[in-house]
Amino acid sequence: AQKITQTQPGMFVQEKEAVTLDCTYDTSDPSYGLFWYKQPSSGEMIFLIYQGSYDQQNATEGRYSLNFQKARKSANLVISASQLGDSAMYFCAMREGRGYSTLTFGKGTMLLVSP
Amino acid sequence: NAGVTQTPKFRVLKTGQSMTLLCAQDMNHEYMYWYRQDPGMGLRLIHYSVGEGTTAKGEVPDGYNVSRLKKQNFLLGLESAAPSQTSVYFCASTERGSYSPLHFGNGTRLTVT
């Protein structure tokens, strides 16, 4: 079974609107962290936001927020007031446990922002 | 502030040739990783290291070898390249802590003909 599932291969949004990118995860470890990365067409991987499994509040970083629903095992990324520069591939990733663990990535969602 | 530096940026190999990808980080990070990215597959972990002199296999290790002789460097080797290894390769590093994000290099685009 996939550990990280991103069900939306592509999403379209108009500039200045909000958009939600879905991510569900699968783990039996009570301690884990969830990450979102952005990959623009230039190819670099840019870290956006982190949510820990024990965090009481949803993470926010500027226009990015994470809608964390632990019981449903979902960690959706919300981008408010989309900008043309938000057009990119977005990856959800998870690290399980503490210490020496690796990041497992989903297959990504391509977001296109239109004027 | 170089961060994570990968060399080379592009490479074309013929089937059966060998090569080494170099990753260097200047952030004193303990952990280093090699991922490959293929269309529709996301990023898949090849090998990783939790400290100087240590390496471990990831999800897709076959056909690759790695070495971490110095803390700041993590080398990925292809002994006999195959067309299936055509991909974009990313190196990443991070410090200890489950909350620590990975810092990525800019990637190496490898084509095996």
Side-chain angles (χ1 to χ4, degrees):
Chain A
Q2 289 186 35
K3 290 196 172 183
I4 295 286
T5 302
Q6 296 181 253
T7 57
Q8 307 151 313
M11 290 283 287
F12 294 90
V13 68
Q14 278 203 309
E15 204 176 3
K16 299 180 185 176
E17 291 186 348
V19 63
T20 297
L21 306 184
D22 294 341
C23 173
T24 57
Y25 59 91
D26 182 27
T27 181
S28 57
D29 196 316
S31 178
Y32 54 89
L34 297 154
F35 302 78
W36 277 92
Y37 283 83
K38 171 184 178 181
Q39 185 179 41
S41 58
S42 50
E44 70 269 32
M45 294 288 290
I46 302 167
F47 165 67
L48 295 177
I49 196 167
Y50 165 82
Q51 179 84 45
S53 60
Y54 295 116
D55 292 344
Q56 295 296 312
Q57 294 187 326
N58 287 344
T60 60
E61 287 288 347
R63 293 186 299 110
Y64 303 109
S65 60
L66 208 152
N67 184 0
F68 182 46
Q69 298 188 40
K70 198 169 180 177
R72 298 179 62 183
K73 293 188 175 179
S74 74
N76 299 339
L77 178 70
V78 180
I79 305 175
S80 63
S82 297
Q83 301 172 356
L84 296 178
D86 293 333
S87 293
M89 181 72 85
Y90 289 81
F91 291 99
C92 180
M94 177 175 65
R95 174 184 283 135
E96 297 175 272
R98 301 178 186 273
Y100 310 147
S101 64
T102 58
L103 234 59
T104 301
F105 285 80
K107 296 184 178 182
T109 295
M110 175 65 77
L111 175 67
L112 291 178
V113 181
S114 60
Chain B
N1 288 347
V4 179
T5 303
Q6 290 182 234
T7 52
K9 291 182 170 51
F10 302 94
R11 187 71 186 268
V12 179
L13 287 179
K14 294 186 188 301
T15 297
Q17 287 184 321
S18 63
M19 77 163 295
T20 299
L21 306 183
L22 173 62
C23 177
Q25 53 97 0
D26 62 1
M27 296 172 283
N28 202 34
H29 285 166
E30 289 288 338
Y31 305 162
M32 296 187 75
Y33 309 81
W34 277 105
Y35 285 88
R36 61 177 288 173
Q37 182 179 20
D38 304 292
M41 300 295 290
L43 278 77
R44 293 181 293 169
L45 182 65
I46 305 171
H47 285 281
Y48 65 102
S49 168
V50 300
E52 183 179 316
T54 72
T55 63
K57 294 180 180 179
E59 180 186 356
V60 289
D62 293 343
Y64 305 96
N65 57 75
V66 289
S67 65
R68 183 112 180 258
L69 298 180
K70 292 183 178 180
K71 185 177 183 179
Q72 63 267 34
N73 295 338
F74 195 29
L75 278 61
L76 177 71
L78 286 72
E79 290 185 348
S80 180
S84 60
Q85 294 177 304
T86 293
S87 188
V88 178
Y89 292 85
F90 284 98
C91 177
S93 70
T94 189
E95 55 190 350
R96 288 177 184 267
S98 58
Y99 54 85
S100 301
L102 265 59
H103 298 262
F104 283 87
N106 286 335
T108 296
R109 184 173 295 275
L110 175 66
T111 303
V112 183
T113 62

